Amino acid sequence: MNQYDFTGVEEWNRIEGWFDLSEAIAIQKFVKQLPPGANLVELGSYKGRSGVAIASVLPPNGVLYCVDHFQGSEEHKKSNIDTSNLLETFTKNIERFGVKDKIYTLQMSATEASKKFEPESIDPILLDAAHDYDSVKADLLNWYPKLKPGGYLFCDDYAPNWPGVMRAIETVGLEGKVIAASLWMHNKPVGSV
Ligand SMILES: C[S@@+](CC[C@H](N)C(=O)[O-])C[C@H]1O[C@@H](n2cnc3c(N)ncnc32)[C@H](O)[C@@H]1O
C-alpha cells in the first residue's frame, strides 16, 4: 500500500494515539494542496498516528520530518501509559502503511531539532509534543520562525483540558481557529518573522 487514502480508515484507527479522525482529514486537506518538494515538520509522533495520516498524502518529493524523543510525555508517565519501544512501534507503523520513505525521523527533543532547520524553510508545522505551558511556549518560539510566510501552523489539543496549550498560544499572541476537534490552525502572514 503506497497511498493510504483513508478509504480503509479502520486500519489506520488501529494505530494508538491521540489524533482524531476529523483532525486527520482536516490536515490532509491542507497537505494535499502543498507544492512538490514541500518540507513538513511534526513535533510529537508517538506511534505514528498523525504522521501516517500526513505522510499518506504528501506531494511528490515531499518530506515529513517526525520529531520525538520517543520517551513519552509527562502526562503519559502520570497515567501509567506504557511508553517502552515507542520508536520501534513508530517505525513498524510507518513501514506498514508504506510511508517510511517519505518520513525523516529525528529522535531528539523539539528544542534540539529546531536548531537543524533554516528560518522560513517549513510549511506546515504540527505541534503535538509536550503539553505543559513552558514547553508549548518554547516550541512556539523556537519553531514559528522556521515556518514559511503564508504557511500553516497547527497545534493539537487546543482545548480547556489542556490549559497549557491554550495559554501558551495566547501568550505568544498568535491568531487562529479550531478547524476540527481540538486542532487549532494559524496562517502565518506574509511579511512576518
Ligand atoms: C501526544 S503524543 C503525540 C501524539 C501523536 N501526534 C499521535 O498522532 O498520536 C506526544 C509525543 O511527544 C513526545 N514528546 C514530548 N515532549 C517532547 C519533547 N520535548 N521533545 C520531543 N518529543 C517530545 C512524546 O514522546 C510523545 O510521543
Side-chain angles (χ1 to χ4, degrees), residues 54-86:
I54 294 167
S56 299
V57 294
L58 283 179
N61 301 319
V63 176
L64 172 64
Y65 293 88
C66 285
V67 177
D68 199 308
H69 51 37
F70 294 103
Q71 292 165 6
S73 300
E74 286 309 310
E75 63 267 18
H76 300 153
K77 288 168 197 158
K78 282 180 201 153
S79 309
N80 288 327
I81 291 173
D82 181 11
T83 53
S84 53
N85 305 318
L86 269 188

Side-chain angles (χ1 to χ4, degrees), residues 16-19 42-51 67-76 86 108-111 126 128-131 135 139 156-157:
E16 289 175 13
W18 290 275
F19 210 58
E42 164 185 275
L43 305 183
S45 299
Y46 195 59
K47 296 184 181 179
R49 191 172 162 90
S50 50
V67 177
D68 199 308
H69 51 37
F70 294 103
Q71 292 165 6
S73 300
E74 286 309 310
E75 63 267 18
H76 300 153
L86 269 188
M108 59 185 73
S109 75
T111 301
L126 169 62
D128 192 20
H131 284 43
S135 300
D139 287 347
D156 199 19
D157 296 315

Side-chain angles (χ1 to χ4, degrees), residues 4 15 20 52 59 90 96 161 176 178:
Y4 188 61
I15 304 178
D20 191 81
V52 166
F90 169 81
R96 188 156 69 92
N161 54 327
V178 172

